[in-house]
Amino acid sequence: MLVENLHEVRNRIRKACERSGRNPEDVTLIAVSKTKPVEMIRELLGEQTDFGENKPQELKDKYEVLPKELRWHMIGHLQTNKIKYIIDKACLIHSVDSLRLAQGIDKEAGKHGIIMPVLAEVNMAKEESKFGIMPEDALEFVRELSVLPNIRVKGLMTIAPFTKIPEENRIHFQNLRKLLVDIREKNIDNVDMCHLSMGMTGDYEVAVEEGATMVRVGTGIFGERDYSI
Ligand SMILES: *Cc1c(COP(=O)(O)O)cnc(C)c1O
């Protein structure tokens, strides 16, 4: 069943690429497995390599018991004291939203002798309830991150508002893409603005049409989450 869901999501991504003249190979599907048991992830082995988690401890626990060829994306809000759980396990941290956090990641990466790829999280709709820097501060923020030697900025991420009407989020995806292009044109040293992480179960097709290179789909693959257990 999960494999069928996965194929359905991939099909929809392919169709969104066709509609917008894009190559499906330029879009990475991240299966968001947060709250879901390891057995469900195992059902997708051989089919899917990129998984997303929003809690450092959960990412670490799953990493440890699953095959090492899987790629783990840290997509949730990250506290500085939790960086150590994931620094050598995540392939990309999507949720860098403060200089303090970036400095913490830089320091931990330095200890491990690695350069950590990160995305800057931008709060495109300026929602009070969401993390992320304001769009107008994004350029300056990326400049600040660019001087940290052990991280590498790879692009931008956003969590669009929850809505039943995906079209409502198109403007936010368009604006994130414009922001990426604007920052890329500044040619900041050590910054490689190539990734746009945007789109979730409710709106990933619109996000792909607007240039997403990574979509983060949880419910559409694994079903509804139950936070009560
Ligand atoms: C949970 C989560 C997702 C996936 O949400 P769905 O609506 O279940 O697809 C994507 N991105 C982030 C940052 C999340 O926390």
Side-chain angles (χ1 to χ4, degrees):
M1 216 251 313
L2 295 189
V3 172
E4 282 160 32
N5 293 348
L6 183 73
H7 288 169
E8 170 68 16
V9 172
R10 288 223 188 103
N11 260 326
R12 286 169 183 251
I13 291 172
R14 186 154 6 91
K15 284 186 188 138
C17 284
E18 272 168 27
R19 288 196 293 276
S20 49
R22 299 189 60 204
N23 182 346
E25 287 180 6
D26 295 337
V27 183
T28 300
L29 169 60
I30 300 171
V32 177
S33 46
K34 66 189 186 194
T35 79
K36 299 295 182 184
V38 163
E39 297 78 70
M40 290 181 87
I41 299 173
R42 283 193 208 280
E43 281 189 43
L44 299 180
L45 294 183
E47 293 279 344
Q48 174 70 16
T49 52
D50 288 78
F51 291 88
E53 289 286 338
N54 70 338
K55 293 212 167 70
Q57 186 71 52
E58 192 171 341
L59 189 155
K60 176 178 187 285
D61 291 346
K62 287 174 176 168
Y63 174 93
E64 280 168 354
V65 298
L66 285 160
K68 291 295 169 279
E69 55 268 26
L70 298 186
R71 292 163 50 83
W72 293 95
H73 296 254
M74 179 66 209
I75 61 173
H77 182 64
L78 184 56
Q79 287 169 306
T80 308
N81 61 348
K82 305 263 172 75
I83 299 166
K84 55 179 182 287
Y85 296 131
I86 56 117
I87 191 71
D88 54 344
K89 300 179 181 67
C91 65
L92 178 66
I93 300 175
H94 293 231
S95 43
V96 176
D97 58 1
S98 74
L99 182 57
R100 205 176 97 83
L101 173 62
Q103 288 165 334
I105 296 168
D106 179 61
K107 196 170 146 207
E108 286 293 324
K111 281 189 206 164
H112 285 83
I114 57 172
I115 293 179
M116 190 71 216
V118 303
L119 305 179
E121 180 174 350
V122 188
N123 186 352
M124 290 311 290
K126 304 191 171 188
E127 291 177 283
E128 296 262 343
S129 59
K130 294 235 165 86
F131 292 104
I133 49 160
M134 289 297 137
E136 60 271 25
D137 299 330
L139 172 60
E140 189 51 36
F141 184 61
V142 170
R143 281 195 200 282
E144 287 171 340
L145 302 197
S146 72
V147 300
L148 300 172
N150 306 309
I151 68 173
R152 186 76 85 247
V153 181
K154 292 283 181 187
L156 303 176
M157 177 271 224
T158 198
I159 303 175
F162 178 77
T163 170
K164 289 202 154 47
I165 307 159
E167 278 301 325
E168 288 183 351
N169 282 337
R170 188 179 293 276
I171 186 72
H172 301 306
F173 299 143
Q174 283 173 345
N175 286 339
L176 190 71
R177 169 137 190 238
K178 279 187 203 151
L179 198 52
L180 182 98
V181 171
D182 285 349
I183 298 174
R184 189 195 283 149
E185 282 173 355
K186 307 288 182 211
N187 282 319
I188 305 167
D189 279 350
N190 286 322
V191 169
D192 181 16
M193 293 305 265
C194 55
H195 282 297
L196 274 176
S197 170
M198 57 188 195
M200 309 181 12
T201 296
D203 54 21
Y204 68 91
E205 292 159 274
V206 175
V208 168
E209 287 172 9
E210 296 302 335
T213 66
M214 296 180 174
V215 294
R216 311 175 307 264
V217 178
T219 312
I221 296 170
F222 293 103
E224 296 288 338
R225 283 176 295 274
D226 183 354
Y227 288 101
S228 66
I229 47 171

